[in-house]
Amino acid sequence: MPVPESVVRPQDVGPTARRGSVGTSPARRAQRPSDGVIRPGRNPFAALPLAQAFPLAVIGGVLFALSFPSPGWWFLAYPALACMLLAAMGQRARRAAWLGYVAGAAFYIPAISWAGRYLGPVPWFALALFEAVFFALGSVAIALAYRWVARVLPTTAGRVWGLPAVVAALWTGREWFSGSWPYGGFAWGRVGLSQSESPFAHLAAYVGVLGVTFVVVYCTAVVLSLALVAPTHPGAVLRLPTRVATAGLLVAAVLAVPAWPTATSGSLRIESVQGNGPAGYFDRATPGEVLESQVAATDVAAKGVDLVVWPEGSAEFDPRQQPVIASALDSVVDSVGAPIVAGAITQTPAGVLHNTSFVWTANGWQSSYDKKRPVPFGEYVPDRWFFSKLAPSLIGLLQRDYTPGTKPNVLSVAGVKAGIAICFDIVDDGLTRDMARGGAQVILAQTNNADFSGTDENLQQLEIARMRAIETGRSLVNISTVGASQVIDPTGRTIDRVPEYTATSMITDVPLGTTTTPATIASGGIALLLSLGGLLTLLACAPWSRSVARSRRRP
């Protein structure tokens, strides 16, 4: 008598099936994680249990924060990435999102603690927890890559070398997106920026900061794949010494890329003045105090100075409208015998406010640049009507809104072309390329860190400036109201500095760059190609077609 299809005979199933897994294939059961230990025949990228993945996500975020100043232990970025990738690896989308969010919060909360210096924990935690959302999105994409792309690349070579490229591209895409949206984005905390003092820093001249992110994440992901795939995946032949040697050769190959030959032609003697005045928003200085501190800290007896550079907001107000300010600038120019690049708040006849950097010579105002990247919730409040309802007391503290400028960020001064970056401008990839393409021979990064005294904000911004010097092949003068003020050469080496929170100046012969780095030509295209390439590859490997085919075969 034939057995009905709905009846399953005991001899047709094994012990596992009798425990309730009749509808699960042996291959799927073999890949299901139980205790998190990877064994031969199992999926090498199987998800870890939550009890192991959660602490890995937290540890990864904390280690990543420690790779930034301070303490700035750049080498911790690699174990940090390994922990975060392991936590996300193979997880379902919802769990991957939560693990990524936890890692992002564990990173941003300590890394940007300076955001609460004066305004308290609300803006600090709001920014940190919002930026952690992008970590969550990136974690989901990476988790899916370890599931979907690994199926399409079943060979050891594909999983060791191809899959990490997709993972690194997705991480890079997440950084590009979070650095672009919303309100211009927040590019603080990129992997590439943590490497300003590392042996990988010179790669920024080739591929830009986001390209350095890709390289670092790729190397880390390859090492993980070598550890997971080679000893467990069927057909793998790599032994432990061979795997270690392979990882070493990969890192050696990357480090063997020579530094881009930075060409310079001549130099400019620049006096950079750190006035250490009461320049903070909450210092409640009387009008003229910051200007007086700058004048007092300027060495007017210095010989052979070609250019004087003051920091952001150092002249306070528009000298064309304030004769007292114009007179003070004139006295410095006459004494030093060189023009000044200073900063001030300016206002158009229509009442539009700008954060402006201007050139002042013996003949007065010559040219200017208006800051293109004013800080959201710092220099202006986007959608003020909405956020005023959420936090009226905090939003009420910001009474004036600066408008983004439209002028080129390269000014002619003292016979050379100088690229101008006002504070937050330095994080913008596009503005960096604009300076180099506009013919800048030196970069003047003017900033006001007085509102973050005693925090790591100024050191983190200095490291961003260092990467920009390498990326463009240009010397960079990072001059702050309170510090950290340094002069950095085109290779990223500090050639002059002054102590923080000290009224003083540094007089430096600054090399003028003439080279064109690959990053200034192609870094934008490289970032876009990596971002879109990673996303499109992930979507192409999605099992949608197989799911549709299975649904059609069902009665």
Side-chain angles (χ1 to χ4, degrees):
M1 179 179 178
V3 179
E5 292 182 0
S6 60
V7 177
V8 180
R9 296 176 296 184
Q11 61 267 35
D12 292 334
V13 297
T16 304
R18 286 197 293 270
R19 286 196 297 269
S21 54
V22 174
T24 306
S25 67
R28 191 168 183 83
R29 289 198 303 273
Q31 294 182 4
R32 181 175 294 168
S34 56
D35 57 359
V37 179
I38 298 172
R39 299 187 178 90
R42 284 183 174 271
N43 175 12
F45 305 119
L48 292 174
L50 185 61
Q52 297 178 29
F54 182 84
L56 279 174
V58 175
I59 292 170
V62 172
L63 290 178
F64 192 37
L66 293 175
S67 69
F68 288 87
S70 61
W73 295 333
W74 57 266
F75 50 86
L76 290 183
Y78 304 95
L81 289 169
C83 288
M84 289 186 280
L85 293 180
L86 281 171
M89 190 177 290
Q91 302 286 354
R92 296 290 180 180
R94 181 178 296 180
R95 179 172 290 184
W98 279 112
L99 290 169
Y101 190 81
V102 167
F107 164 63
Y108 274 112
I109 288 175
I112 62 169
S113 58
W114 43 262
R117 174 69 172 81
Y118 283 102
L119 298 179
V122 174
W124 167 23
F125 279 92
L127 178 58
L129 298 180
F130 177 77
E131 290 299 319
V133 173
F134 294 102
F135 259 75
L137 295 175
S139 181
V140 171
I142 288 170
L144 294 178
Y146 276 113
R147 292 170 55 199
W148 294 352
V149 180
R151 292 195 192 108
V152 179
L153 300 173
T155 65
T156 299
R159 292 185 172 188
V160 169
W161 303 107
L163 177 57
V166 179
V167 169
L170 291 171
W171 188 292
T172 304
R174 193 270 303 165
E175 288 192 350
W176 171 81
F177 182 67
S178 64
S180 306
W181 184 90
Y183 309 126
F186 186 67
W188 222 272
R190 289 174 172 176
V191 171
L193 295 176
S194 71
Q195 302 299 295
S196 65
E197 300 278 2
S198 85
F200 288 93
H202 71 283
L203 297 176
Y206 291 91
V207 293
V209 171
L210 283 172
V212 175
T213 289
F214 176 85
V215 172
V216 172
V217 178
Y218 178 73
C219 290
T220 305
V222 167
V223 172
L224 275 181
S225 291
L226 283 168
L228 297 176
V229 175
T232 61
H233 188 259
V237 295
L238 294 178
R239 302 293 182 183
L240 178 60
T242 307
R243 285 184 274 120
V244 173
T246 302
L249 286 173
L250 171 64
V251 175
V254 174
L255 295 179
V257 176
W260 182 259
T262 53
T264 59
S265 177
S267 63
L268 194 70
R269 176 161 288 190
I270 298 178
E271 179 176 2
S272 314
V273 184
Q274 177 181 285
N276 197 38
Y281 189 84
F282 297 97
D283 283 340
R284 307 301 182 190
T286 58
E289 273 194 89
V290 175
L291 175 65
E292 290 173 5
S293 66
Q294 287 295 136
V295 172
T298 303
D299 184 358
V300 294
K303 304 299 182 182
V305 172
D306 299 311
L307 175 65
V308 177
V309 179
W310 285 1
E312 174 189 17
S314 47
E316 301 189 46
F317 304 104
D318 193 338
R320 296 170 298 182
Q321 307 298 326
Q322 301 280 349
V324 173
I325 298 175
S327 177
L329 295 173
D330 284 337
S331 66
V332 173
V333 169
D334 292 341
S335 299
V336 179
I340 296 178
V341 176
I345 300 169
T346 61
Q347 186 173 12
T348 67
V352 176
L353 293 174
H354 291 295
N355 186 347
T356 301
S357 179
F358 62 90
V359 177
W360 190 269
T361 69
N363 297 318
W365 184 288
Q366 293 300 303
S367 58
S368 64
Y369 161 71
D370 301 322
K371 186 176 182 179
K372 290 187 177 180
R373 283 295 304 272
V375 182
F377 306 101
E379 293 177 305
Y380 78 103
V381 180
D383 299 320
R384 182 182 285 270
W385 64 271
F386 173 74
F387 291 105
S388 294
K389 296 178 181 178
L390 295 181
S393 59
L394 288 175
I395 298 302
L397 293 173
L398 303 173
Q399 295 296 320
R400 62 190 180 196
D401 289 336
Y402 292 112
T403 299
T406 58
K407 299 177 182 177
N409 58 352
V410 177
L411 301 179
S412 296
V413 56
V416 303
K417 289 187 175 182
I420 308 296
I422 304 176
C423 198
F424 201 62
D425 278 348
I426 201 69
V427 306
D428 190 288
D429 301 315
L431 293 180
T432 301
R433 291 191 295 271
D434 289 345
M435 283 189 284
R437 294 172 181 176
Q441 298 163 270
V442 63
I443 297 175
L444 307 179
Q446 301 166 283
T447 185
N448 178 12
N449 305 110
D451 279 326
F452 305 104
S453 300
T455 72
D456 293 332
E457 187 274 343
N458 59 349
L459 297 177
Q460 292 175 8
Q461 185 174 329
L462 177 65
E463 297 311 287
I464 298 173
R466 190 181 310 281
M467 290 298 285
R468 296 308 189 189
I470 299 171
E471 183 178 3
T472 58
R474 297 291 184 272
S475 297
L476 184 146
V477 178
N478 191 79
I479 183 64
S480 168
T481 50
V482 296
S485 298
Q486 294 187 10
V487 179
I488 303 165
D489 76 4
T491 67
R493 183 176 60 93
T494 297
I495 58 177
D496 204 352
R497 70 176 75 203
V498 292
E500 297 176 37
Y501 312 114
T502 303
T504 186
S505 68
M506 49 185 171
I507 300 173
T508 318
D509 291 322
V510 181
L512 299 176
T514 58
T515 188
T516 300
T517 65
T520 57
I521 299 174
S523 63
I526 291 172
L528 183 61
L529 179 64
L530 291 173
S531 303
L532 291 179
L535 180 60
L536 293 177
T537 302
L538 179 65
L539 296 177
C541 295
W544 296 329
S545 59
R546 294 190 291 275
S547 300
V548 172
R550 283 195 299 269
S551 65
R552 289 176 177 174
R553 288 196 298 268
R554 291 171 185 164

